[in-house]
């Protein structure tokens, strides 16, 4: 099951690379994503998770926690592929066929590396996969070879590779504390499940040091402040479907890496050391995002900084550690993925209709493009955590989980910052949506692109008040794992 | 052959590794920088083989040979060809001058010895000695990436970091599991190739490979 899930994107990448015409290319691009999605959904919802499934001699695993992320990768992946099939394959996109072929191939490779990240039990393989996501997506950030895209891709490559090198430092320390400790050397010494079982035998001091390196390393990739400087550049320069995937899914995958090490550290030290660090960096990320959201001139960068904020919220929720906060954090990962990808898709529409990324040049979307205007405005309100959308529910859970864990100060600061973020978004979104129109670009509609927008909107609205019971059970089981041994 | 010949050889290569890494930071020429990187990698392979003999870990031979092949031969050759095709000036350009970078490097070395000195759970002289050395190599790589102007020297800094991590893995834990080790090699090679492609793209778009020209994106 796990291996099938991993092989499909590889085959799709191969077909995309060798396809002779643009039509075959587009077909294999979409069909590959559809096949991954169907396999992924089947794996997630038709297995009962009474016990964790392993593959490749325990090096890969699928537990409820990774199932949540598989669900996200294949679903948002499918939405992005369908959107991309409309957005990049339109006749006037100005992207040549060889570049499209490269794009489609790397897109599926990117999906593969993300799936490998969340499915790996061996921490070394997880590291290799996360480094792989950087390498695979560098070419996706730079599709058009413009100066700004090359600069963004270069910064992304260099900063994330350095960050991830530091994470490797941490992994070596973890491996050392496993091998030198009472657990002894075995072929499983780097497996997460093995380490968690033998966590008491790991050296607590070494694990603390390792966790700091991991937090800095994977935190760079997850976009936590102050290591987030690559993120707004890459998110604003990448084509919209890629930004959607980077922001909605990739950041969360890196957060899963942090979460797994957090659980190890928590079990090994028996202290709140890692939780405190997570809460600190989480709140710092939310705080750093505030001024950039309030005074932003570029709407794609606006949503990029919003991703910094939301990763901060997720990490804070994990750090709070009460069952409700952890449930909220995992639910937040899901709703954020769909909501943020919806917003980046609508950025694609905006760029197509208005031909600018500047907020002040986009006026009166509602007047000329009512469909886009409604979805853009509601989506932006949803991302600030306004009811009745899913983000409201998840942020409410994180905060009330924090209050029940007696983190009064942390929750107070968060609430205060969230109000500012809401004000910033309301100001930008209402100026862009209402008033006289300034549309200058293309006006024809694209069914692929509009369909994706509608689907995304329905999803985030429905998740606000109705959660299907299999999904609820999945999140429930995942949050039991993410709660660790102490809760 | 006396019993402690191999440990003392490991000490020797350790010292040489440190010297080679410092020389990379100190070298004013791009070509010399890359040759020194090759030398550093060669010493790394030698250390790996010595550890493999000393500890009797046979699977370490594969990473050692791969280091020889990839980092001593292939990657330096890729660099030489890139420099020729790019047609760039051969001097290393830095935001801070070389004596000052050396002072910073020494400070980082002290910092890593000091920082790891009180780490409990480390036994044995080798571990006490190699952890700070490996950490210092990683920091030096970061120093190079932060202060050098050319995109190419940034890649050298990254490779130096990676060598530091490799050194740490072999001396601390006799190497990571083989599959992981191979995966890391694969990532490094692919990473160098992709960054190489981007160096050419930067050259075409910005008419030079100075990264301080990359200032379009702000805020």
């Amino acid at each position: 099951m796990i291996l099938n899930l991993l092989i499909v994107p590889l085959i799709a990448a191969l077909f995309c690379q060798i396809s002779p015409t643009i039509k075959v290319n587009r077909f294999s691009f979409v069909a590959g994503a559809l096949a991954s999605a169907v396999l992924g959904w089947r794996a997630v919802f038709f297995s009962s998770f009474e016990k964790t499934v392993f593959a490749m001699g325990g090096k890969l695993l699928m537990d409820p926690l990774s199932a949540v992320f598989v669900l996200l990768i294949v679903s948002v992946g499918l939405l992005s592929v369908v959107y991309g099939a409309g957005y990049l394959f339109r006749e006037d996109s100005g992207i040549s066929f060889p570049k499209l072929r490269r794009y489609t191939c790397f897109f599926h490779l990117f999906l593969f590396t993300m799936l490998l990240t969340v499915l790996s039990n061996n921490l070394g393989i997880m590291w290799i996969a996360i480094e792989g996501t950087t390498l695979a997506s560098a070419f996706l950030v730079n599709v058009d070879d413009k100066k700004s895209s090359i600069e963004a891709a270069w910064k992304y490559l260099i900063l994330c590779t350095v960050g991830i090198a530091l994470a490797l430092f941490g992994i070596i320390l973890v491996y050392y504390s496993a091998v030198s400790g009472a657990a002894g050397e075995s072929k499983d010494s780097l497996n997460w499940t093995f380490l968690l079982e033998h966590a008491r035998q790991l050296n607590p001091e070494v694990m603390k040091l390792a966790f700091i390196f991991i937090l800095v390393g994977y935190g760079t990739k997850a976009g936590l402040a102050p290591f987030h400087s690559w993120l707004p550049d890459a998110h604003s320069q990448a084509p919209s479907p890629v930004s959607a995937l980077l922001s909605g899914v990739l950041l969360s995958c890196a957060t899963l890496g942090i979460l797994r090490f957090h659980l190890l550290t928590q079990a090994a030290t028996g202290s709140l050391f890692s939780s405190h660090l997570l809460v600190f960096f989480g709140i710092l990320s939310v705080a750093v995002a505030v001024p950039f959201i309030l005074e932003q001139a570029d709407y794609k960068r606006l949503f990029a900084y919003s991703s910094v904020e939301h990763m901060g919220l997720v990490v804070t929720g994990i750090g709070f550690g009460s069952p409700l906060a952890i449930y909220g954090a995992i639910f937040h990962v899901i709703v954020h993925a769909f909501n943020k990808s919806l917003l980046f898709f609508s950025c694609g529409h905006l760029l197509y209709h208005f031909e600018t990324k500047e907020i002040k040049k986009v006026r009166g979307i509602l007047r000329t493009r009512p469909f886009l205007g409604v979805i853009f405005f509601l989506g932006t309100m949803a991302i600030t955590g306004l009811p009745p959308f899913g983000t409201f529910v998840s942020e409410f859970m994180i905060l009330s989980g924090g209050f029940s864990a007696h983190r009064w100060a942390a929750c107070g600061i968060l609430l205060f910052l969230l109000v500012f973020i809401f004000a910033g978004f309301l100001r930008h979104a209402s100026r862009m949506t209402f008033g006289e129109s300034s549309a200058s670009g293309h006006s024809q509609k694209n069914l692929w692109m509009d369909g994706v927008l509608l689907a995304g909107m329905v999803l985030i609205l429905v998740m606000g008040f109705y959660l299907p019971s299999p999904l609820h059970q999945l999140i429930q089981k995942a949050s039991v794992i993410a709660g660790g041994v102490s809760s | 052959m006396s019993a402690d010949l191999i440990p003392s050889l490991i000490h020797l290569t350790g010292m040489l590794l440190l010297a080679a890494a410092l020389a990379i930071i100190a070298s004013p020429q791009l070509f010399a920088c890359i040759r020194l990187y090759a030398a550093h990698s060669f010493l790394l392979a030698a250390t790996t083989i010595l550890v493999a003999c000393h500890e009797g870990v046979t699977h370490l031979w594969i990473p050692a040979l791969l280091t020889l092949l990839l980092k001593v031969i292939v990657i330096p050759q890729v660099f030489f060809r890139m420099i020729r095709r790019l047609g760039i000036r051969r001097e290393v350009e830095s935001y801070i001058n070389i004596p000052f970078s050396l002072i910073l490097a020494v400070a980082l070395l002290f910092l890593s010895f000091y920082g790891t000195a009180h780490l409990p759970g480390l036994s044995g002289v080798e571990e006490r000695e190699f952890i700070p050395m490996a950490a210092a190599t990683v920091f030096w790589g970061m120093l190079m990436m932060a202060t050098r102007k050319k995109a190419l020297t940034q890649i050298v800094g990254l490779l130096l970091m990676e060598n530091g991590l490799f050194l740490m893995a072999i001396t601390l834990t006799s190497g990571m599991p083989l599959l992981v080790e191979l995966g890391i090699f694969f990532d490094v090679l692919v990473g160098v190739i992709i960054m190489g492609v981007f160096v050419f793209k930067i050259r075409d778009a910005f008419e030079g490979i100075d990264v301080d020209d990359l200032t379009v994106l702000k805020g």
Side-chain angles (χ1 to χ4, degrees):
Chain A
M1 181 179 78
I2 295 177
L3 291 180
N4 288 346
L5 205 53
L6 288 174
I7 287 169
V8 169
L10 283 182
I11 297 174
L14 180 72
F15 273 102
C16 286
Q17 186 58 40
I18 58 171
S19 48
T21 65
I22 205 158
K23 278 205 171 116
V24 178
N25 187 249
R26 187 175 180 166
F27 175 77
S28 33
F29 185 47
V30 177
L34 198 61
S36 306
V38 170
L39 267 178
W41 292 331
R42 218 187 56 157
V44 171
F45 288 118
F46 287 83
S47 49
S48 54
F49 294 115
E50 288 314 315
K51 59 180 197 286
T52 312
V53 188
F54 291 98
M56 266 181 75
K59 290 191 177 64
L60 303 177
L61 94 169
M62 179 131 158
D63 57 2
L65 201 54
S66 42
V68 168
F69 286 85
V70 168
L71 183 70
L72 286 187
I73 296 168
V74 296
S75 311
V76 179
L78 179 65
L79 287 177
S80 306
V81 163
V82 173
Y83 192 85
Y87 185 70
L88 292 161
F89 281 80
R90 62 176 199 266
E91 267 108 43
D92 54 354
S93 70
I95 298 170
S96 63
F97 178 47
K99 274 187 185 161
L100 279 179
R101 209 153 59 175
R102 192 182 72 187
Y103 172 85
T104 50
C105 173
F106 274 102
F107 203 95
H108 277 292
L109 285 179
F110 184 39
L111 289 179
F112 164 76
T113 50
M114 285 198 292
L115 283 171
L116 186 61
T117 304
V118 300
L119 289 171
S120 50
N121 187 19
N122 185 309
L123 297 173
I125 293 180
M126 183 189 242
W127 182 88
I128 294 165
I130 293 187
E131 169 69 11
T133 57
T134 314
L135 299 176
S137 52
F139 278 112
L140 297 176
V141 171
N142 167 40
V143 173
D144 50 9
D145 280 343
K146 273 194 297 209
K147 262 189 175 184
S148 51
S149 322
I150 294 174
E151 179 185 339
W154 179 257
K155 279 184 185 164
Y156 173 53
L157 259 178
I158 291 294
L159 284 171
C160 285
T161 315
V162 171
I164 286 178
L166 291 178
L168 184 59
F169 200 94
I171 292 172
I172 294 170
L173 284 175
V174 171
Y175 186 57
Y176 169 73
S177 77
V179 172
S180 66
E185 189 167 0
S186 79
K187 66 177 176 41
D188 299 330
S189 299
L190 211 48
N191 282 2
W192 183 72
T193 42
F194 176 87
L195 288 168
L196 198 62
E197 269 169 34
H198 298 84
R200 285 268 157 229
Q201 292 150 349
L202 301 175
N203 184 323
E205 296 302 315
V206 176
M207 286 302 289
K208 279 184 188 173
L209 186 68
F211 183 74
I212 294 172
F213 276 101
I214 300 279
L215 185 63
V216 173
Y218 287 168
T220 310
K221 193 79 194 178
L224 294 180
F227 323 111
H228 66 286
S229 58
W230 64 272
L231 190 146
D233 293 349
H235 284 47
S236 65
Q237 294 308 312
S240 294
V242 178
S243 316
L245 209 54
L246 283 177
S247 168
V249 189
L250 176 67
L251 304 181
S252 311
C253 289
T255 313
L256 176 68
I258 298 177
L259 172 60
R260 295 225 190 251
F261 278 97
H262 160 63
L263 295 175
L264 282 183
T265 316
Q266 202 179 33
T269 58
S271 72
L272 290 175
F273 172 78
S274 50
S275 312
H276 287 312
L277 275 179
L278 287 179
V279 171
F280 174 77
F281 279 102
I283 292 179
L284 184 67
S285 307
V286 180
V288 162
V290 171
F292 290 97
I293 286 175
L294 288 176
E295 291 299 322
Q296 189 51 258
D298 176 327
Y299 56 79
K300 280 188 94 176
R301 295 181 84 86
L302 180 72
F303 295 128
Y305 278 108
S306 154
S307 297
V308 175
E309 172 222 335
H310 284 281
M311 284 305 118
L313 278 174
V314 169
V315 167
T316 315
I318 296 168
F320 282 156
S322 66
L324 186 62
I326 287 174
Y327 185 97
I330 292 174
F331 187 47
H332 194 71
V333 166
I334 298 176
V335 286
H336 171 252
F338 287 108
N339 199 334
K340 191 52 69 59
S341 54
L342 172 73
L343 284 171
F344 274 113
F345 295 144
S346 58
C347 285
H349 271 74
L350 288 178
L351 199 58
Y352 181 61
H353 291 313
F354 291 82
E355 292 182 322
T356 175
K357 285 182 191 162
E358 281 181 59
I359 290 175
K360 66 172 186 287
K361 287 189 184 159
V362 178
R363 290 287 177 261
I365 311 169
L366 202 61
R367 184 78 37 104
T368 42
R369 312 262 179 272
F371 172 73
L372 175 63
V374 168
I375 287 188
F376 176 78
F377 191 73
L378 289 182
T380 316
M381 288 303 98
I383 205 74
T384 59
L386 208 67
F389 298 99
T391 31
F392 169 73
V393 180
S394 58
E395 285 180 13
F396 187 75
M397 283 177 183
I398 292 175
L399 283 171
S400 42
F403 279 122
S404 70
H406 306 293
R407 304 283 184 103
W408 310 106
C411 289
I413 298 170
L414 269 187
L415 268 175
F416 180 71
L417 295 171
L418 286 176
V419 169
F420 274 99
I421 289 169
F422 173 71
F425 268 108
L426 186 65
R427 199 180 68 140
H428 291 306
S430 53
R431 277 191 196 168
M432 287 168 76
T433 313
F434 304 111
E436 286 301 311
S437 172
S438 66
S440 58
H442 310 274
S443 57
Q444 70 260 54
K445 286 191 171 146
N446 187 315
L447 270 181
W448 298 73
M449 288 158 65
D450 288 350
V452 170
L453 277 196
L454 194 63
M457 192 70 230
V458 169
L459 276 173
I460 60 167
L461 241 179
V462 166
M463 273 192 280
F465 41 83
Y466 171 68
L467 198 60
S469 104
L471 190 59
H472 168 70
Q473 282 172 9
L474 184 67
I475 303 175
Q476 191 73 52
K477 282 177 188 160
S479 55
V480 169
I481 295 182
V485 280
S486 60
S487 61
Chain B
M1 197 160 88
S2 71
D4 48 44
L5 176 65
I6 292 181
S8 44
L9 274 179
I10 294 180
H11 278 280
L12 179 68
T13 51
M15 290 303 131
L16 289 175
L17 273 170
L18 213 53
L22 262 185
I24 294 179
I25 296 178
S27 77
Q29 295 284 325
L30 211 47
F31 271 113
C33 198
I34 290 156
R35 284 205 191 91
L36 281 166
Y37 168 72
H40 191 266
S41 309
F42 180 78
L43 287 166
L44 194 62
T47 316
T48 315
I49 291 173
L50 286 172
V51 171
C53 295
H54 184 53
E55 314 251 333
V57 195
T58 41
H59 77 72
L60 269 185
W61 282 88
I62 298 170
L65 293 177
L66 272 175
T67 306
L68 271 183
L69 184 72
L70 278 183
K71 293 185 192 162
V72 181
I73 299 166
V74 176
I75 290 180
Q77 283 306 319
V78 170
F79 268 106
F80 288 143
R81 291 185 67 177
M82 260 166 46
I83 294 171
R84 271 185 226 114
R85 275 190 49 199
L86 284 166
I88 48 172
R89 273 175 296 139
R90 309 283 164 92
E91 292 90 41
V92 170
E93 286 165 88
S94 178
Y95 293 108
I96 54 177
N97 62 16
I98 284 173
F100 189 58
S101 359
L102 282 175
I103 291 172
L104 277 181
V106 173
L108 285 171
L109 183 63
F110 271 109
L111 188 76
S112 31
F113 267 99
Y114 180 77
T116 53
H118 304 291
L119 202 65
L122 298 182
S123 51
V125 186
E126 272 170 40
E127 284 155 7
R128 290 220 164 276
E129 185 181 291
F130 273 97
I131 288 194
M133 269 168 44
T137 315
V138 172
F139 289 139
W140 291 349
M142 287 177 83
L143 177 73
M144 273 187 84
M145 298 191 68
T147 57
R148 296 300 148 92
K149 282 186 184 173
K150 279 203 181 78
L152 272 182
T153 28
Q154 285 193 324
I155 305 180
V156 177
L158 193 67
L159 288 168
L160 188 61
M161 274 182 87
E162 205 275 329
N163 270 5
L165 291 169
F166 188 81
L167 177 66
M168 174 147 149
I170 51 165
T171 50
L172 200 59
T173 64
S174 309
M176 307 277 269
L178 186 61
L179 186 70
V180 176
E181 208 75 271
L182 293 179
I184 294 172
F185 270 109
F186 178 75
D187 272 355
V188 168
L189 188 67
V190 174
V192 168
I193 291 169
I194 289 182
M195 285 173 196
V197 171
F198 271 99
V199 169
F200 281 98
K201 283 186 191 294
I202 291 175
R203 202 255 329 239
D204 292 341
F206 292 85
E207 289 146 9
I209 58 165
D210 283 2
V211 283
D212 50 354
D213 290 337
L214 303 184
T215 50
V216 183
L217 301 168
K218 280 195 185 95

